[in-house]
């Protein structure tokens, strides 16, 4: 099956997709929070690392619209891993893990951001709400839900759409499939939105 991409999404939403996915990477736990320089006794850390960075800081700045370009967002994510490699050494356990997660980040950027950038952005205002079709508010909630899904889940959404509303899919080459939510009928939209919410619930710890 092809890789699922979700244009047309605004660049910040695409960045949220990438960041959410990479923060769930099984080897990413060292990079989520700022380095505890004092707690770990890293007395020389600030003399080696010019500007510290971590993924929670990136997430906070992304939500505050501090990044004016996708490139500036990606640079800060990369800085998180580059700092680890610089301080610990490329051949250390930490350096090797940082390089692996950094490579995973670059692949996800290609999937979510670079492929979408090949398509011209929409002009004007969002598609007006139409009776019997998903509203702008509903589509925004769906986009937000998608930021929490894995690539496997996104691919399953594409399969569901293909079965009942294939006109909302656009094929670009042999592998990339784009989903245009504006062209989803209400029945299909409810189906994929409910699936997304169910998958998110599975990720939440039981109370």
């Amino acid at each position: 099956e092809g890789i699922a991409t979700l244009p047309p999404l605004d660049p910040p939403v695409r960045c949220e997709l990438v960041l959410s996915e990479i923060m769930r990477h099984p080897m990413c736990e060292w990079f989520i929070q700022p380095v505890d320089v004092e707690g770990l006794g890293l007395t020389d850390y600030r003399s080696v690392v010019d500007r510290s960075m971590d993924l929670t800081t990136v997430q906070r700045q992304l939500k505050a619209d501090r990044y004016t370009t996708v490139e500036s967002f990606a640079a800060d994510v990369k800085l998180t891993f580059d700092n680890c490699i610089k301080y610990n050494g490329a051949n250390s356990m930490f350096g090797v893990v940082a390089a692996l997660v950094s490579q995973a980040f670059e692949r996800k950027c290609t999937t979510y951001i670079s492929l979408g950038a090949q398509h011209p952005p929409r002009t004007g205002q969002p598609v007006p709400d139409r009776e019997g079709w998903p509203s702008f508010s509903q589509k925004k909630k769906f986009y937000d839900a998608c930021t929490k899904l894995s690539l496997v889940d996104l691919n399953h959404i594409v399969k569901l759409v293909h079965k009942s509303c294939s006109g909302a899919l656009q094929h670009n080459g042999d592998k990339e499939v784009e989903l245009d939510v504006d062209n989803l009928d209400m029945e299909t939209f409810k189906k994929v939105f409910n699936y997304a919410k169910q998958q998110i619930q599975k990720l939440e710890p039981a109370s």
Side-chain angles (χ1 to χ4, degrees), residues 192-204:
V192 296
F193 195 12
N194 286 336
Y195 170 79
K197 290 188 288 187
Q198 289 170 4
Q199 296 307 108
I200 292 171
Q201 288 175 353
K202 292 179 181 179
L203 297 173
E204 297 175 348

Side-chain angles (χ1 to χ4, degrees), residues 72-91:
S72 61
F73 155 76
D76 268 2
V77 175
K78 288 281 291 176
L79 181 62
T80 302
F81 308 125
D82 290 345
N83 284 346
C84 179
I85 294 171
K86 183 178 182 180
Y87 183 77
N88 295 285
N91 295 323

Side-chain angles (χ1 to χ4, degrees), residues 74-196:
D76 268 2
V77 175
K78 288 281 291 176
L79 181 62
T80 302
F81 308 125
D82 290 345
N83 284 346
C84 179
I85 294 171
K86 183 178 182 180
Y87 183 77
N88 295 285
N91 295 323
S92 68
M93 175 180 67
F94 297 105
V96 169
V97 170
L100 289 173
V101 181
S102 182
Q103 291 169 8
F105 169 71
E106 290 179 359
R107 289 195 298 270
K108 293 180 188 302
C109 275
T110 299
T111 299
Y112 285 106
I113 298 174
S114 299
L115 290 176
Q118 297 173 7
H119 303 273
R122 291 187 169 189
T123 58
Q125 299 298 315
V127 173
D129 288 350
R130 297 170 290 174
E131 185 176 355
W133 292 75
S135 67
F136 176 80
S137 175
Q138 289 173 314
K139 289 181 285 188
K140 178 62 170 61
K141 291 178 180 179
F142 176 66
Y143 286 152
D144 291 342
C146 284
T147 67
K148 303 175 184 178
L149 298 179
S150 68
L151 284 176
V152 173
D153 292 332
L154 293 174
N155 275 319
H156 186 71
I157 285 176
V158 170
K159 292 178 183 178
L160 293 175
V161 174
H162 180 72
K163 290 180 180 179
S164 58
C165 189
S166 60
L169 297 177
Q170 299 178 13
H171 297 265
N172 296 293
D174 295 330
K175 294 184 178 181
E176 290 85 50
V177 180
E178 298 178 1
L179 171 58
D180 187 348
V181 179
D182 288 331
N183 286 325
L184 280 180
D185 59 63
M186 184 58 81
E187 181 180 354
T188 304
F189 178 83
K190 288 181 178 179
K191 186 182 301 182
V192 296
F193 195 12
N194 286 336
Y195 170 79

Side-chain angles (χ1 to χ4, degrees), residues 3-45:
I3 296 174
T5 59
L6 292 175
L9 297 182
D10 292 334
V13 179
R14 289 183 177 279
C15 292
E16 287 177 13
L17 282 167
V18 174
L19 190 59
S20 176
E21 188 77 11
I22 204 66
M23 289 177 79
R24 293 202 301 268
H25 191 286
M27 292 188 291
C28 200
E29 63 175 300
W30 292 333
F31 312 107
I32 301 295
Q33 300 294 335
V35 174
D36 184 5
V37 177
E38 283 73 25
L40 295 173
L42 307 178
T43 56
D44 61 341
Y45 186 83

